[in-house]
Amino acid sequence: MEIKDSHYILLVILHIAIGVAIYYVQPLSSLYGLGIFLLGLFYVFKTGNKNNQVLIVAAYIVGSDVFLRMTSGSILYEFSKYGVIIFVTIGMLYSGLSKNSVPFWIYLLLLIPGVFVATETLNLESDLRTSIMFNISGPVCLGMSSIYCYNRKISFSQVNNLLLAIGLPVISTVSYLILYTPDLKDVLTGTGSNGETSGGFGPNQVATILGIGMFIFFTRLIFNSKNKIIFIVNLLIACNITYRGLVTFSRGGMITGFVMMIILLFFLYKISNSSGRFKLNLLFIFMALVFSVIWFYTSSQTSGLIDKRYANQDAMGRAKESKLTGREEIMESEIASFLDSPIFGIGVAKGLEIRYEQTGQIITSHNEITRTIAEHGTLGIIALIIVFFTPIFLFLDNKEHIYMFCFLIFWLLTINHAAMRIAAPAFVYSLSLLKVTFNEEQGK
């Protein structure tokens, strides 16, 4: 069921107001975070999860994750992942789960040996519970979400509502960033990721959530803009998100969002008739022009530094030696750790501890693939294979799920530059497993 235009405008205004209010009265962020959880519980218990309301709440939690951390409003630092796990578990109690979700039970079981190894390998100086939970919460969130979503029937319009639930808190994030960010010329001195343009939080995570927000409002331009007013509203939101994402100077999240858009256009073009392809061509030309304007405006505001950033150059225009901002060294150390312990791995969180012993600094992994291989060994490789290939096999009997490859690629690209520090890659991945239909009745 689609949201009425008037209700949609009110939701947009409300979330702009939330961002503004929290900027001026930051303690409101804690109330906002607590309210999401309590109102979410009320909503699910009242409806009995008859239309997968747990996914709406979980999606909203995912969308608000970075904003709450940025404004110190999270109940717990890992609240988003725990919140998603809690709500999908409630959903299983109400609505059951697929008997065929065995691959993800296996996936969760494959993670357990790495936890036991960690209890033996981590030093006494480490906070065992905190260290393990920080590294394992993302994979567990993915496993539990995937078990709930596995082949669960849902309509295409419901999927769009889930995306909107993620996107609405992104609007609050952007309105907060607009107020928080000082004059760019005062804070941009180089081409590295910039905390001042990212709300004082990690640019990598901020760009990740802005990247998927950009994709979400791009999809609304295509599927949910039936009149000029709504089209203009969605276009303005998408443009603002894109600009704010670019000026974080963190490339991974924005590139991921653009790749998702290209994949979606490819699938739409493939299934459209000649009339539909003509409209898509017009849309592509229009969006290319819009993005060009945004890029040139951003280049002007950053004195050309954004061009150098995406060309992997420093402020002087010299090519940087590292194309991955030094992450190659972390990946190499994790591969070396795997070779030392190829069966069960070195144990969850041990990689972080090894890097601290070697450098004296706490250096977290940016790559979930090499981290998983290092800390879980061959069992981790099997787990990753399960995660990657399962949605592809399901797609063979689920061709109406036109977002499937978009969601899968979001997970894959995100975990390669931002690991699973936020809940978004885990939850968005699980949406690739849904059984999507364009028939509203079948989706109930």
Side-chain angles (χ1 to χ4, degrees), residues 58-214:
Y60 194 89
I61 289 173
V62 167
S64 63
D65 184 5
V66 169
F67 182 53
L68 288 174
R69 294 193 195 192
M70 180 190 296
T71 56
S72 304
S74 289
I75 301 171
L76 299 168
Y77 188 75
E78 297 289 326
F79 162 71
S80 58
K81 297 170 191 172
Y82 298 146
V84 171
I85 292 169
I86 289 169
F87 278 100
V88 295
T89 302
I90 293 171
M92 293 177 199
L93 296 175
Y94 270 115
S95 308
L97 48 95
S98 172
K99 293 182 291 185
N100 297 321
S101 60
V102 174
F104 289 96
W105 288 111
I106 295 173
Y107 167 78
L108 289 174
L109 289 174
L110 290 170
L111 300 176
I112 294 174
V115 176
F116 284 115
V117 172
T119 62
E120 297 295 326
T121 60
L122 287 176
N123 293 334
L124 295 176
E125 290 82 5
S126 298
D127 185 332
L128 200 64
R129 183 187 65 83
T130 302
S131 297
I132 291 174
M133 288 306 297
F134 176 78
N135 285 275
I136 204 71
S137 57
V140 171
C141 180
L142 184 148
M144 294 298 290
S145 300
S146 297
I147 289 169
Y148 179 81
C149 290
Y150 193 95
N151 242 2
R152 187 170 295 274
K153 289 184 178 180
I154 190 169
S155 70
F156 181 70
S157 66
Q158 286 176 309
V159 176
N160 285 331
N161 287 341
L162 289 177
L163 290 177
L164 178 60
I166 298 173
L168 287 172
V170 178
I171 295 175
S172 300
T173 306
V174 169
S175 64
Y176 180 88
L177 288 174
I178 290 171
L179 295 171
Y180 181 95
T181 305
D183 188 290
L184 294 182
K185 291 180 174 59
D186 293 337
V187 295
L188 294 179
T189 57
T191 58
S193 299
N194 195 297
E196 288 293 317
T197 60
S198 306
F201 192 63
N204 207 358
Q205 289 91 332
V206 174
T208 295
I209 206 68
L210 293 178
I212 193 169
M214 176 181 66

Side-chain angles (χ1 to χ4, degrees), residues 229-249:
I229 293 176
I230 298 300
F231 182 87
I232 292 171
V233 169
N234 287 327
L235 181 62
L236 289 173
I237 294 171
C239 289
N240 272 285
I241 292 174
T242 303
Y243 172 69
R244 288 294 153 187
L246 287 173
V247 297
T248 64
F249 276 67

